[in-house]
Amino acid sequence: MQAARLHKYDPSIPKQSLQIEDIPEPTIQGPMDVIVRIGAAGLCRTDIHIVEGQWAPITGMELPYVLGHENSGWVEEVGPGVTNVAPGDTVMVHPLITCGLCRACRAGDDMHCENSAFPGIDSDGGMAQLLRTSARSCVKLDPILQPKDIAALADAGLTAYHAVRKSVPHLYAGTKAVVIGAGGLGHIGIQCLKALTPAEIIVVDPNEKALALASEWGADQTVQVGDGYLDTIMEMTDGKGAEVVFDYVGERGAEDDAWKMTRRAGYHYVIGYGGTVEVPTIDIISSERNVIGNLVGTYNDLAELMILTAQGKVSLHTSTYPLDAVNDAIQDLNTGNLQGRGILIPEGAEA
Amino acid sequence: MQAARLHKYDPSIPKQSLQIEDIPEPTIQGPMDVIVRIGAAGLCRTDIHIVEGQWAPITGMELPYVLGHENSGWVEEVGPGVTNVAPGDTVMVHPLITCGLCRACRAGDDMHCENSAFPGIDSDGGMAQLLRTSARSCVKLDPILQPKDIAALADAGLTAYHAVRKSVPHLYAGTKAVVIGAGGLGHIGIQCLKALTPAEIIVVDPNEKALALASEWGADQTVQVGDGYLDTIMEMTDGKGAEVVFDYVGERGAEDDAWKMTRRAGYHYVIGYGGTVEVPTIDIISSERNVIGNLVGTYNDLAELMILTAQGKVSLHTSTYPLDAVNDAIQDLNTGNLQGRGILIPEGAEA
Amino acid sequence: MQAARLHKYDPSIPKQSLQIEDIPEPTIQGPMDVIVRIGAAGLCRTDIHIVEGQWAPITGMELPYVLGHENSGWVEEVGPGVTNVAPGDTVMVHPLITCGLCRACRAGDDMHCENSAFPGIDSDGGMAQLLRTSARSCVKLDPILQPKDIAALADAGLTAYHAVRKSVPHLYAGTKAVVIGAGGLGHIGIQCLKALTPAEIIVVDPNEKALALASEWGADQTVQVGDGYLDTIMEMTDGKGAEVVFDYVGERGAEDDAWKMTRRAGYHYVIGYGGTVEVPTIDIISSERNVIGNLVGTYNDLAELMILTAQGKVSLHTSTYPLDAVNDAIQDLNTGNLQGRGILIPEGAEA
Amino acid sequence: MQAARLHKYDPSIPKQSLQIEDIPEPTIQGPMDVIVRIGAAGLCRTDIHIVEGQWAPITGMELPYVLGHENSGWVEEVGPGVTNVAPGDTVMVHPLITCGLCRACRAGDDMHCENSAFPGIDSDGGMAQLLRTSARSCVKLDPILQPKDIAALADAGLTAYHAVRKSVPHLYAGTKAVVIGAGGLGHIGIQCLKALTPAEIIVVDPNEKALALASEWGADQTVQVGDGYLDTIMEMTDGKGAEVVFDYVGERGAEDDAWKMTRRAGYHYVIGYGGTVEVPTIDIISSERNVIGNLVGTYNDLAELMILTAQGKVSLHTSTYPLDAVNDAIQDLNTGNLQGRGILIPEGAEA
């Protein structure tokens, strides 16, 4: 089958980051396995970080392997123990394969499953025609939904939703939320904030066009990154900072600014990554601020997000590429020329 | 009256850090003011950090002023609007003076009062014979209680309790808590953990004697800081780290180690300070760990801690000095020769 | 001054339930007292229950006294200790006078203050030209706001908001909320649900016109009370019932139906009253359902509700009467002829 | 194999409530099935309620069937998909068989699984030599543990623990908890309260001997049910009632008294059953009290309880009977002559 594989880490993000090649199809190996025919695979900034080699020390993956951790499509084949989906079903694929037996899975924190796999990160992913996943990872969808319209919700959307859902107790009427980065994750985060909280939403981005779109998605105020923009945000928050700051960037200074614009007793949510949070302990304790890590969401989070999508409260802004143009998509994402989320369509995929 | 005042910041913590001198007595200035005759004032590592000048940029205090933010004694005089205490009452003094009208005060977060004062840090404190505070800061006690036995609970104990109380939802049966630092705060933290949670308690300290005492206070396991001690803790936590790590030191490397021994989805509580927390954002997001700031507790926290004390579940380990020996106490604390909390007794104080 | 007083309990709700009479003006008695010139006083179903005598055994009030616990107006005079408001300020009056010193006040649960008064229920209220309240009860408003447009938010709105705010953790995307009663409280509850949660809102009422209005305020589905209506609701909730049922009626069978339409592990919120909840313990335990009491909200709840109002997310549907027509208003409310909330305007009140 | 089956509902609890008979052994039917050789089966008041017919309308079970929902033993045989336990393992059996795929299972509320079975209630249970359960229901134990010492924790203990665990946020230092009924569930509840909270524990029972035992298990105060006992409890709680009342009886008036001794804003936990909770809505709303349903606990609850047991914080008080004496045990339980939990040992069971 057609697949996009990484053969070499390269921090320069070369023009041919991935190779399009023909590889053997995945097969059912366990009773709960599910093979999904990919309708669409999302491209994520994490894919760039994988190409750069940032994830190598964490996953220890041997190259080459297929990237792609935002997948949606139709069930092709199921293992003998699978009862919740059947061939032909339209499905959203939760990015993690989880065991269902460990404490985390049983506690509703399946993203911390002690026996998980993360196809596209630590095993073959969905930038291909077929993907092997498990029954526990399939969210069955209404067949009228098109994978290309929703695939990017599988990870980017799910991560943005998960962070916003965790913040609900802190964002009551009268509070302010700052969203740093109105890109692929941020624009979903803005819509989720609007759907789940009455907070006033301030969106920060260097890109004027992104800010204009942010206003359409629900931003109450927008601030262009530039000299003195931090002062602007402090003024908008009565000199106190915001109750919750969502940093969807996590590098190039955003991680410092995020902390600075967090209010006393407030929360600095780290979602994007690449940089380093560096804060004197005296600042942490004297203001009782918190730094909150955010990983991808749970299966239930994904099911909830699908409901918000069905209700029209969340929609994706996408740019579509054929799978064999994945390297163009990567370049566009890396140079800031990709608006919304990049979606890759394998050869022959159709609704 | 007799008082111990700071006249000069000095990072070297000189032998005469404070001056014992005779200054005018405080007087009632507002209807809710209360003058307390100090029975005992606790000495805290924060006093050393104040002498060093660490707090100067935060408080902007003009020198000289009276230190001492852990105070207990007897009511001497009250303003015309005070109804909850009367002259002669034994009281514990909450370290903050709060307004009772702002959102934080009304939400049960009075340590984030928007109009607060912190005597001993940003105004004259209790290392003196008399202290001016407010009605809202007085916790009325059973007259059989002795200020010298409890004064250090006013801030050190309150801070330790506040952090532990916040952690209760995370410390269910089967979890592990690491306590870094079995000193003045840590030894109260250990007892509070024992009283409020079923977690297994692992205590870390460089001092063997402190660890022996930690076992008496309720530590299930102790680890002496030294080469490879981090490995020992990882082994004790099945290679995963602890659900909550309480860092009562916050400097000299403890702040790094605390993060490293925090489990996936776990909490690194910063309580001590002096150093800097420095963590790559990829580590924060890939493990979904959290850094939690901890300030002093609320008035209700203090009232609860007084109940635990009355129930015999928390007791203080103290070393007593006359107020005019405050500089000896400071030296002992700074050189690690002060076991438990230092307590200063002004001239003429008696039960 | 002009005031409407209750002289006699009468379950028949006679045409002259209250007497309009001239009584002495209230005066400042304590340092924190505030006299408010009433701009508007809301009429509430509780006023009818007071006239009926339902509250007599609870309050033990001696007659006659002035009713009216939903008050807004302008500060007329303040006690010597009052700093947060000044004569001329437009204010919303929180219905409770609270002490600010007890555990409940300090924990953010001031509606459970141990030393509270409830003017209009257990002391003279605001169906008059002047009302005595306290500094802690005054929410300062933008002077462009008109008391007559917001007065009913002081208690009815606050109660509806408080219940909805408590339910937020239970009403995530994909859940269903049933609102029983689209009247004075219910119509605010619907708007608050819309503002704070992504739940699907099903509104139940016997009155067709009320249901039509409910749809405008944000109901996703409406059901007219009548034969088989309970079956309709069970169908709308996949035979499982709703995660949260808000019973704004609490009598005439609504209290039974509310329980029946509550899902396993769900919450039956009691807000209206008059009837009796009667449930076999085996039903309670085998389904793990909960019955949740709901009183008026806190001061912070009221401040939040004012923000939602200012943001245009909550608006009141009102019918205005001069204060001396209070008995007509009572009859209209009792016979179901009062749409939205009844608002009483004392003689001479003006913005 | 030997089994105890119910052939006829009879509210009089006849001397031969169950029949000891020889029936076919259960067999593996699905890939996740596990056959457990029963070491011990607990006898529960619910078994009496089943015999009475109270559960018949809820389960719609056809008679005869094997009772017994508190089971522990050793794995005898496993289905082809089972990986977490193997023949010979000592296991505690969670009373529910759950699917692991529905929202409740994935949210950590597996006791609300939408596809669950409850052996011993709605299918054949463990009062027999062998029991069929599923991999998801097995908690693997240290082989030195003896089924007869812990079996009753599977449901009675789990239910008591679940209720206490839910109450932790309400039972901070200085609060009071009333435990009604110091029998089979109550005595575990008392120990769990002691292990998880700093609350003062007041235990209520008609039986003097049970109260004496309650003191050994951790009760701070005990009250014998009798004339005026409710007044005694109100005095012990400063006239306010307790923050949480655990009603392990739920019938014969306990359900009324439990409500009356619940404090404003407090929680009445219904755990025992048989009676009816009947409360005027005005009492519910004017005090904002809550009635909380409590079902059996989750798998994680059971794992936590096993840890408390291993730590020596919870131990069972039991009376052992051979399985063929089950009817004697039922009579003893019904007449109040069974101290602690009744444990049934099938023929030939051994560690």
Side-chain angles (χ1 to χ4, degrees), chain B residues 9-318:
Chain B
Y9 297 118
D10 187 338
S12 75
I13 312 296
K15 289 214 170 165
Q16 294 302 316
S17 289
L18 304 186
Q19 274 184 242
I20 304 298
E21 45 197 341
D22 193 60
I23 63 169
E25 298 189 348
T27 55
I28 295 289
Q29 297 187 351
M32 303 305 280
D33 280 0
V34 173
I35 305 291
V36 173
R37 178 160 296 276
I38 295 296
L43 175 68
C44 176
R45 190 162 298 275
T46 285
D47 293 313
I48 289 184
H49 292 315
I50 293 172
V51 172
E52 290 172 343
Q54 276 204 49
W55 284 86
I58 294 173
T59 63
M61 274 301 284
E62 274 185 39
L63 302 183
Y65 74 108
V66 183
L67 299 199
H69 55 276
E70 300 190 324
N71 306 304
S72 182
W74 307 273
V75 174
E76 179 82 6
E77 192 185 350
V78 301
V82 177
T83 56
N84 60 331
V85 288
D89 287 346
T90 304
V91 289
M92 172 62 97
V93 183
H94 187 279
L96 280 175
I97 295 178
T98 59
C99 74
L101 291 167
C102 69
R103 175 172 176 102
C105 277
R106 288 178 182 272
D109 297 319
D110 42 85
M111 72 281 198
H112 292 292
C113 172
E114 294 180 12
N115 311 293
S116 69
F118 206 137
I121 293 191
D122 61 15
S123 55
D124 280 337
M127 292 188 186
Q129 289 176 296
L130 295 168
L131 166 76
R132 180 172 54 234
T133 181
S134 87
R136 274 181 58 84
S137 304
C138 294
V139 183
K140 193 173 166 180
L141 300 177
D142 189 309
I144 63 162
L145 284 172
Q146 296 300 320
K148 71 179 162 53
D149 297 331
I150 53 170
L153 293 171
D155 184 64
L158 181 54
T159 299
Y161 177 76
H162 178 64
V164 170
R165 194 191 201 289
K166 280 166 64 173
S167 75
V168 168
H170 311 306
L171 292 176
Y172 48 84
T175 57
K176 283 159 187 168
V178 171
V179 173
I180 301 181
L185 267 84
H187 87 284
I188 307 171
I190 294 165
Q191 297 175 74
C192 293
L193 274 171
K194 208 76 194 168
L196 301 191
T197 82
E200 189 182 320
I201 306 168
I202 300 170
V203 177
V204 177
D205 201 284
N207 185 316
E208 230 169 304
K209 196 169 154 197
L211 290 176
L213 286 166
S215 297
E216 288 174 28
W217 293 319
D220 294 298
Q221 300 197 67
T222 60
V223 179
Q224 193 170 6
V225 176
D227 285 357
Y229 90 101
L230 204 51
D231 294 338
T232 307
I233 289 166
M234 293 312 283
E235 275 162 38
M236 286 177 172
T237 56
D238 308 315
K240 295 173 181 168
E243 276 81 0
V244 183
V245 177
F246 297 90
D247 178 9
Y248 287 103
V249 175
E251 57 181 346
R252 284 166 285 148
E255 69 277 32
D256 294 328
D257 293 345
W259 174 260
K260 285 176 194 148
M261 59 180 85
T262 302
R263 187 191 171 100
R264 273 180 80 79
Y267 298 84
H268 166 189
Y269 277 53
V270 181
I271 310 158
Y273 58 93
T276 293
V277 167
E278 195 178 333
V279 195
T281 47
I282 193 172
D283 286 355
I284 298 175
I285 67 105
S286 63
S287 63
E288 207 166 22
R289 276 175 287 179
N290 307 285
V291 178
I292 304 298
N294 291 281
L295 193 52
V296 74
T298 66
Y299 181 95
N300 282 346
D301 284 339
L302 185 56
E304 292 173 22
L305 179 57
M306 292 291 94
I307 288 163
L308 290 182
T309 306
Q311 291 172 341
K313 291 175 184 161
V314 172
S315 64
L316 270 171
H317 182 209
T318 59

Side-chain angles (χ1 to χ4, degrees), chain D residues 109-303:
Chain D
D109 297 320
D110 42 84
M111 71 282 197
H112 292 293
C113 172
E114 293 180 11
N115 311 293
S116 69
F118 206 137
I121 293 190
D122 62 15
S123 55
D124 280 337
M127 291 188 187
Q129 289 175 295
L130 295 168
L131 166 76
R132 180 172 53 233
T133 181
S134 87
R136 274 181 59 83
S137 305
C138 294
V139 182
K140 193 173 165 179
L141 300 177
D142 191 308
I144 62 161
L145 283 173
Q146 297 300 320
K148 71 179 164 51
D149 296 332
I150 54 170
L153 293 171
D155 183 64
L158 181 53
T159 300
Y161 178 75
H162 178 65
V164 169
R165 194 191 202 291
K166 281 166 62 174
S167 75
V168 167
H170 311 307
L171 291 176
Y172 47 83
T175 57
K176 283 161 188 167
V178 171
V179 173
I180 302 182
L185 268 83
H187 87 283
I188 307 172
I190 294 164
Q191 296 174 73
C192 293
L193 274 170
K194 209 75 194 169
L196 300 191
T197 82
E200 188 182 321
I201 305 169
I202 301 171
V203 178
V204 176
D205 200 284
N207 185 316
E208 230 170 302
K209 197 169 153 198
L211 292 176
L213 287 166
S215 296
E216 288 175 27
W217 294 317
D220 294 298
Q221 300 197 66
T222 61
V223 179
Q224 192 170 6
V225 175
D227 285 358
Y229 89 101
L230 203 51
D231 294 340
T232 307
I233 290 165
M234 293 312 284
E235 275 163 36
M236 286 176 172
T237 56
D238 308 315
K240 294 173 182 167
E243 276 80 359
V244 183
V245 176
F246 298 90
D247 177 9
Y248 287 103
V249 175
E251 56 181 346
R252 284 166 286 147
E255 70 276 32
D256 293 328
D257 292 346
W259 174 259
K260 284 176 195 147
M261 58 180 85
T262 302
R263 190 190 169 102
R264 273 180 80 81
Y267 298 84
H268 166 188
Y269 277 52
V270 181
I271 310 157
Y273 58 92
T276 294
V277 166
E278 194 179 334
V279 195
T281 46
I282 192 171
D283 286 357
I284 298 175
I285 67 105
S286 63
S287 63
E288 206 167 20
R289 275 176 287 180
N290 307 286
V291 178
I292 304 297
N294 291 281
L295 194 52
V296 73
T298 65
Y299 180 95
N300 281 347
D301 284 340
L302 185 55

Side-chain angles (χ1 to χ4, degrees), chain D residues 43-59:
Chain D
L43 175 68
C44 176
R45 190 163 296 277
T46 284
D47 294 312
I48 289 184
H49 292 315
I50 292 172
V51 172
E52 290 171 343
Q54 276 204 49
W55 283 86
I58 294 173
T59 63

Side-chain angles (χ1 to χ4, degrees), chain C residues 103 111-112 114 162 166 172 240 250 264 273-275 277-279 281 285 288-293 295, chain D residues 103 111-112 114 162 166 172 240 250 264 273-275 277-279 281 285 288-293 295:
Chain C
R103 175 172 176 102
M111 72 282 197
H112 292 293
E114 293 179 13
H162 177 64
K166 280 166 62 174
Y172 47 84
K240 294 173 182 167
R264 273 181 79 79
Y273 58 93
V277 167
E278 195 179 333
V279 195
T281 46
I285 67 105
E288 207 168 21
R289 276 176 286 179
N290 307 285
V291 178
I292 304 296
L295 193 52
Chain D
R103 176 173 175 100
M111 71 282 197
H112 292 293
E114 293 180 11
H162 178 65
K166 281 166 62 174
Y172 47 83
K240 294 173 182 167
R264 273 180 80 81
Y273 58 92
V277 166
E278 194 179 334
V279 195
T281 46
I285 67 105
E288 206 167 20
R289 275 176 287 180
N290 307 286
V291 178
I292 304 297
L295 194 52

Side-chain angles (χ1 to χ4, degrees), chain C residues 47 125 168 178 181 186 198 208 237 242 250 261 268 314 317 322:
Chain C
D47 293 312
V168 168
V178 171
E208 230 169 303
T237 56
M261 59 180 85
H268 166 188
V314 171
H317 182 209

